[in-house]
Amino acid sequence: MSSLRMTSDLRRQLILGAAKRCFARHGYTGTTTKSVAAAAAISEALLFKHFPSKAALYAEILSDECEADPALMELLERQPSTATLVEVIRGMVGHFMHIADGPDQEEAQRLRLMTTSHLDDGEFARLLYAKIETLIGAAFVASLERAVAAGDARPYNGEPLNLFWFAHHTVMTAALTRLPATPCLAYGKANDLERQLCEFLLRGIGLNDAAIASHLGRDQAACVDKTAIAESA
């Protein structure tokens, strides 16, 4: 049983490795499950036993990349607290606001794919949201609970994770305006925008002004952390 399980896990990793090479060389649109299966030296039918679609395969690769990010892992391993909550939001804002500045435009293409998925069948978006929730959701909710207990945030009667998604969708939409060569909106200086977004989102999830001032710090406005937060696209 154990041997069969290891063989299955190994096969899955071989498929992911082949898929990474294909996506890197041909992009998402130019890659097919048939080409990935050929690169992995397996049948397409066997590939589908591990991954039901190309979108599922790509979402798994993005999830693996997030889990391999040492900065993100360090953040998620911190004790739940108001400070951790602020860093989660700060990192998410920094990640999305710098997508358009990436030298290889890989993150920008992922954001475009995410947007297209919302307008199409939504499969890729649903898969990626599920991966993001698994990775970050518990840390966010636990830190929000600690912030409320410490008097740094007001209680929320709804689903706490919705506050994370509201913040995620807000900053993702702001990032979309910066994707074209000529931005759709002139938000002003990038650092000012990041600061404003952090304050807006932290107030939106319930933090009071005293907690925001204490943990965000005016002196940090010019050096917003660029920690990568997996979902992100």
Side-chain angles (χ1 to χ4, degrees), residues 63-79:
S63 177
D64 283 354
E65 289 179 0
C66 287
E67 292 178 0
D69 186 326
L72 176 58
M73 290 301 100
E74 187 276 329
L75 175 59
L76 296 179
E77 288 170 359
R78 293 183 187 181
Q79 288 296 315

Side-chain angles (χ1 to χ4, degrees), residues 70-92:
L72 176 58
M73 290 301 100
E74 187 276 329
L75 175 59
L76 296 179
E77 288 170 359
R78 293 183 187 181
Q79 288 296 315
S81 65
T82 303
T84 300
L85 182 64
V86 171
E87 288 306 311
V88 168
I89 295 298
R90 191 210 304 272
M92 182 166 62

Side-chain angles (χ1 to χ4, degrees), residues 117-128:
S117 180
H118 283 85
L119 299 174
D120 194 8
D121 62 9
E123 180 190 12
F124 176 70
R126 284 191 296 272
L127 288 165
L128 198 53

Side-chain angles (χ1 to χ4, degrees), residues 63-216:
S63 177
D64 283 354
E65 289 179 0
C66 287
E67 292 178 0
D69 186 326
L72 176 58
M73 290 301 100
E74 187 276 329
L75 175 59
L76 296 179
E77 288 170 359
R78 293 183 187 181
Q79 288 296 315
S81 65
T82 303
T84 300
L85 182 64
V86 171
E87 288 306 311
V88 168
I89 295 298
R90 191 210 304 272
M92 182 166 62
V93 168
H95 168 71
F96 274 103
M97 288 299 96
H98 289 276
I99 282 179
D101 304 329
D104 58 5
Q105 290 294 293
E106 185 176 353
E107 288 290 342
Q109 290 303 322
R110 291 174 181 174
L111 183 54
R112 290 187 175 93
L113 176 61
M114 190 70 165
T115 304
T116 301
S117 180
H118 283 85
L119 299 174
D120 194 8
D121 62 9
E123 180 190 12
F124 176 70
R126 284 191 296 272
L127 288 165
L128 198 53
Y129 284 143
K131 296 291 184 182
I132 293 170
E133 180 175 337
T134 299
L135 191 62
I136 304 173
F140 175 88
V141 172
S143 289
L144 179 60
E145 290 174 349
R146 292 295 179 87
V148 171
D152 292 331
R154 64 178 180 271
Y156 181 65
N157 295 325
E159 172 55 56
L161 198 59
N162 281 348
L163 295 175
F164 172 80
W165 291 126
F166 295 156
H168 184 278
H169 300 336
T170 297
V171 73
M172 185 170 72
T173 302
L176 285 173
T177 69
R178 299 165 61 85
L179 278 186
T182 301
C184 302
L185 287 174
Y187 272 119
K189 295 180 181 178
N191 287 334
D192 290 342
L193 174 59
E194 290 181 44
R195 175 74 196 198
Q196 291 167 352
L197 272 170
C198 284
E199 292 179 345
F200 178 79
L201 296 177
L202 290 170
R203 289 193 182 100
I205 63 178
L207 262 66
N208 56 48
D209 287 348
I212 293 172
S214 173
H215 294 282
L216 198 56

